Amino acid sequence: MTTFNMKAESTLTRNRSGHVAYRLDPRDRLMSYVLTSFVNEPKYYGDNTPELVTLAKELAATDGLFVAQLAVYARTVLNMRSSSHLLLATLAHEVKGEQYVRRAVRSAVVRGDDVTEMLAAFFALFPGDPLPNSLRRGLRDALDRMSDYELAKYRMSDRPVKMADAVKLCHTRRREATRALLAGELGKPTSWETELSAHGNTTETWEMLLAEGKVPYMALLRNLRNLLETNPAGLDAVLERLADPRMVAASRQLPFRFWSAYRAVEAMQVATTFSGTRIRGLEQMYALFSRTHMPFMGSRPESMDPVDKAMDALSRALDASVANYPKLPGRTLVAVDVSGSMSCRLSSMSTVRYVDVAALLAACLVHLSDDCVVYAFARDAERVPVTAGASVLATMGQFKANGGCTNMEAVFVEATLHRVDVDRMVFLSDNEVNRGYSQRSGRQCLQRNLEAYRRGVGHRVWLHAVDLAGYGTTQFDGVDTTFSAGWSEKVLSFLAMAEEGTGGLEAAVEAVELQ
C-alpha cells in the first residue's frame, strides 16, 4: 500500500511496545494487516486478527469495494490465503445486496479448498448466522466452473467443512457431479500424490512421475529433498526447470519459499558432510562453511553432486524472481531490522522468521539497485558488506539476527556520521521502534530524523517504509514518503513506480477487476 505523500489525517499514537508512532489511516492499516498476517497466528507483540476483523467491518460500510479488491489482490497476486478468506467472509456478512461481493468471492477462488476455507471462516466468525446470498452465490459460481477432478481432489474429508457440505449449501448447478460426490461415487483422482502414496517414495516412482510430467512446479519445489534422496533419472531436468525464469514467474511462489527449500537442501549437505568428514582446523571449518552456506557465483562445474546442483538451481531461481522488476537508479540505503521482535516466526507451522523475510527483501534490493549501502540495526546500526553481482542468497547470508531493542534512529546517526549520501532509503522492519529519539522526546517520530538528513545532503531523498508485521503504525509521514507492506518481492516493484509517479500498491489494489 504505497502512497506518494502520507495521509493528512495521520496522527500520533503509541505503537505496541508503548512508544510514539504515527497511526496509519484505515485503508493503509487494513492492507498492512492483510498482507503481513496469517489468521490466528501469534506475533511478538500479539495476534492482530481481531483488529483485522474489526477494521474490515468498519471499512465494509464505507469502502466495501476496496475491501473486496484487497481480498482478491491478496489471494490472486500475493498468494495470501487465510487473510483473504477472512476478509471476504466479513465483507459478505456486512454488505448486503451488492453484486461486487459475489464477484469478489468467485474471483478469489483459485483452487477447490478456497471454497471450504471461506465457508469455515464465515462459520467461525459468525456462528449461527445465515449464509449471506453473496457468499453462497459467489461460491456456487466457483463450484460450477470446477472440474470433476477438482471436486474429487478437494474433498476435505478430514475437515469440519467438507466439499460435500459446500455443494449442498451453495446449491451448485452441476447436479450429476454433486450426486456422485455425495454418494461417494466421484472417483478419487489420480495425481502425483496418489501415485506416490500408492507406490512409495522410491526412485522408480519418481522416475515414472517425472517421465509422465505429472508433478507441478510447486510440488517439485516442496519435494526436492525426496527427489535428492531417491536421485531419479531426470533429476537434472527437474533442477533446470526449477531455475527456469519463465517457470519461476509462473509459479506464483513467495520468494522465501525458495529460500526455505534452499535451507532444507543445505541441511542435507551439512549432515552428509559432517557424517563423512572429520573437520580439522579453522581453514577446513571455513571451507566447509563456504561450501554449505554460499551459493555458486561463477560457472557451474560439471562435477557438482546433485545436492550442489540443487542449491545452485534454487539460488538461480531466486535471482530470476527479481530479475524483471524495475531497477532503482542512483544510490540506495537499505536498513534491515534485526532486533528481537523480528526473530518471531511467521506462523506456528513455519520456521521462517520476520528477520529472514527482511534479509531476503534486502538482498533483492541490492540486486535491483545501481549502488547500494546496507545497514542492519537493533540497539545500534552496523554496515553490512555486500558484493555487486553476488546472488540474492549470497547477499542474504551476510545478515545476522542480533536481537535486542529496535533503534531505527541509529541508521540516521551512522549515515550522517559517515557522510553517506543516498537518493532513497528503504526500511524493512516491524516498525516497533522503542529506542532512540522517540524514547527521549516522547512526542516525535523518526520523521524528524529524516528531515534533518535531507537538509544535510541538500537534495531530494525518498523514504520507503516496508512493514513486515502489520501492527498498524509507522515512523514516517510526509512528502516523498511511501508506506508499503508484504512479504513478496512484488512489493519492491512499487518503489520505483512511486518515485516515477506511475502508481503504487494501493493503486494496484484499486485496479483489481472483479470477474
Side-chain angles (χ1 to χ4, degrees), residues 223-337:
N223 283 275
L224 191 50
R225 284 193 64 158
N226 287 335
L227 286 162
L228 290 170
E229 287 169 355
T230 56
N231 195 23
L235 179 58
D236 284 352
V238 168
L239 297 179
E240 285 307 309
R241 183 181 176 192
L242 289 175
D244 186 332
R246 294 169 299 177
M247 299 301 297
V248 171
S251 72
R252 302 172 68 241
Q253 293 295 302
L254 289 166
F256 64 75
R257 301 295 186 196
F258 295 106
W259 177 72
S260 297
Y262 181 90
R263 190 169 59 174
V265 173
E266 180 184 64
M268 288 180 65
Q269 188 181 59
V270 172
T272 302
T273 304
F274 272 92
S275 65
T277 307
R278 177 176 292 178
I279 306 300
R280 297 177 181 175
L282 290 177
E283 289 185 3
Q284 287 181 308
M285 284 292 290
Y286 177 77
L288 174 63
F289 176 86
S290 299
R291 182 169 183 259
T292 58
H293 286 74
M294 300 294 286
F296 292 94
M297 294 172 57
S299 59
R300 296 178 293 280
E302 294 299 324
S303 60
M304 283 198 297
D305 63 29
V307 173
D308 286 331
K309 290 179 180 180
M311 294 169 70
D312 175 56
L314 292 169
S315 178
R316 288 188 286 141
L318 246 181
D319 290 349
S321 73
V322 296
N324 295 321
Y325 288 103
K327 302 297 182 184
L328 295 173
R331 200 174 197 203
T332 302
L333 184 152
V334 178
V336 179
D337 186 348

Side-chain angles (χ1 to χ4, degrees), residues 44-109:
Y44 189 89
Y45 290 103
D47 179 23
N48 61 4
T49 303
E51 288 95 329
L52 194 166
V53 174
T54 300
L55 185 56
K57 288 180 179 179
E58 293 173 2
L59 277 180
T62 58
D63 206 0
L65 178 58
F66 182 79
V67 175
Q69 291 171 314
L70 175 59
V72 175
Y73 185 86
R75 180 66 188 100
T76 61
V77 178
L78 297 186
N79 278 338
M80 301 296 291
R81 300 185 67 240
S82 59
S83 57
S84 172
H85 299 154
L86 190 76
L87 211 54
L88 286 169
T90 303
L91 182 67
H93 183 267
E94 299 299 314
V95 177
K96 303 294 190 291
E98 293 288 354
Q99 281 296 311
Y100 71 78
V101 181
R102 175 181 179 175
R103 297 201 308 273
V105 169
R106 71 182 177 221
S107 297
V109 175

Side-chain angles (χ1 to χ4, degrees), residues 6 55 163 191 197 257 279 370 393 396 412 434 479:
M6 292 300 292
L55 185 56
M163 184 60 78
S191 65
S197 176
R257 301 295 186 196
I279 306 300
D370 284 348
L393 278 169
M396 187 184 174
F412 291 98
N434 50 35
V479 222

Side-chain angles (χ1 to χ4, degrees), residues 101-121:
V101 181
R102 175 181 179 175
R103 297 201 308 273
V105 169
R106 71 182 177 221
S107 297
V109 175
V110 175
R111 61 187 212 191
D113 57 346
D114 285 321
V115 173
T116 53
E117 291 297 324
M118 223 177 290
L119 287 171

